[in-house]
Amino acid sequence: EYNKEEIFLMIEKFNINCISVVPKIIFDLFDKIDNKKYFKNLKIVIVGGDGINEKIFDYFKKNNINAYISYGMTETSSGICGYFVHDINNYMQGFLGFPHKNTYLSINNGHIKIQSKSVMKKYVNNEDCYGIFLSDDLGIKRKNKFFYKSRSSDFIVSGGENINLQAIKNVILGLDCNIEMKVE
């Protein structure tokens, strides 16, 4: 758990000039009445763990906040591509940004495929990955740009955490109450 008031106090008290957050925290920080003064003191805000929306994009642009939107997963040492908000003219839903140096993206059967030295060597007791990771993320390539569409697995990502939908369904179905739910 975090406290948004504490975040602002820490930024001010410790003269913090760089933060890395998930979009949910950015939304929480928007609610603070005097938040612009805190954001203005930051040299950079790195946002990852989930996609941003147009409201966040526009807020950063309008308030001249140096924000870097990062895409990547744990298997790829997290950030493998991204973009600075001020380098993009208009918000593009699902835009992954530009691959980092020596990182190559492609689409393989609809999945986002990453090739890089930053890709994990292997999962425990599994075969070597050879610097290639085929993600559960579905994507498309349009005009030389890569876009995230959705997840292909029974997981959702919230704030950078994978949540198994079947586990949630099992808990709900185990409750002793009258809930009608369609389980597929």
Side-chain angles (χ1 to χ4, degrees):
E1 293 296 313
Y2 72 96
N3 178 318
K4 64 183 169 184
E5 297 299 323
E6 277 185 34
I7 291 174
F8 284 121
L9 288 173
M10 289 173 60
I11 288 171
E12 191 168 50
K13 181 179 178 181
F14 298 108
N15 213 14
I16 293 172
N17 59 20
C18 174
I19 61 172
S20 178
V21 294
V22 295
K24 164 73 170 105
I25 292 176
I26 294 295
F27 273 119
D28 288 350
L29 298 180
F30 280 169
D31 293 341
K32 177 81 171 144
I33 294 169
D34 196 18
N35 63 18
K36 288 180 186 147
K37 85 172 188 181
Y38 296 101
F39 279 116
K40 271 181 27 182
N41 293 333
L42 295 172
K43 289 183 180 176
I44 188 167
V45 176
I46 301 169
V47 183
D50 205 349
I52 66 165
N53 63 23
E54 192 168 10
K55 182 179 178 180
I56 292 174
F57 182 90
D58 289 344
Y59 181 86
F60 288 144
K61 285 280 256 203
K62 180 179 147 199
N63 293 290
N64 202 28
I65 296 166
N66 190 28
Y68 185 79
I69 312 307
S70 175
Y71 170 79
M73 52 287 298
T74 305
E75 293 87 350
T76 63
S77 299
S78 292
I80 49 118
C81 62
Y83 62 94
F84 283 98
V85 168
H86 292 296
D87 290 345
I88 306 296
N89 292 328
N90 299 308
Y91 172 75
M92 295 178 280
Q93 184 173 354
F95 179 52
L96 299 181
F98 307 101
H100 295 167
K101 185 177 181 181
N102 298 319
T103 299
Y104 306 94
L105 301 181
S106 59
I107 303 296
N108 185 310
N109 291 326
H111 290 259
I112 298 171
K113 181 179 172 182
I114 300 109
Q115 186 171 356
S116 172
K117 289 181 180 178
S118 68
V119 169
M120 66 183 181
K121 296 294 181 205
K122 66 180 177 178
Y123 282 109
V124 176
N125 299 323
N126 264 340
E127 296 176 22
D128 195 336
C129 295
Y130 302 103
I132 298 171
F133 178 67
L134 187 60
S135 76
D136 282 337
D137 291 350
L138 299 175
I140 58 171
K141 184 177 180 181
R142 276 188 256 137
K143 296 182 182 176
N144 242 8
K145 292 183 175 123
F146 290 90
F147 294 84
Y148 170 85
K149 285 175 46 178
S150 65
R151 298 282 288 184
S152 67
S153 61
D154 199 20
F155 285 85
I156 60 170
V157 177
S158 177
E161 295 292 326
N162 289 335
I163 301 170
N164 184 317
L165 293 177
Q166 188 58 51
I168 295 169
K169 290 176 189 174
N170 292 343
V171 169
I172 292 171
L173 290 172
L175 295 174
D176 188 23
C177 57
N178 291 330
I179 297 176
E180 283 190 35
M181 185 171 98
K182 182 180 177 184
V183 178
E184 296 178 14

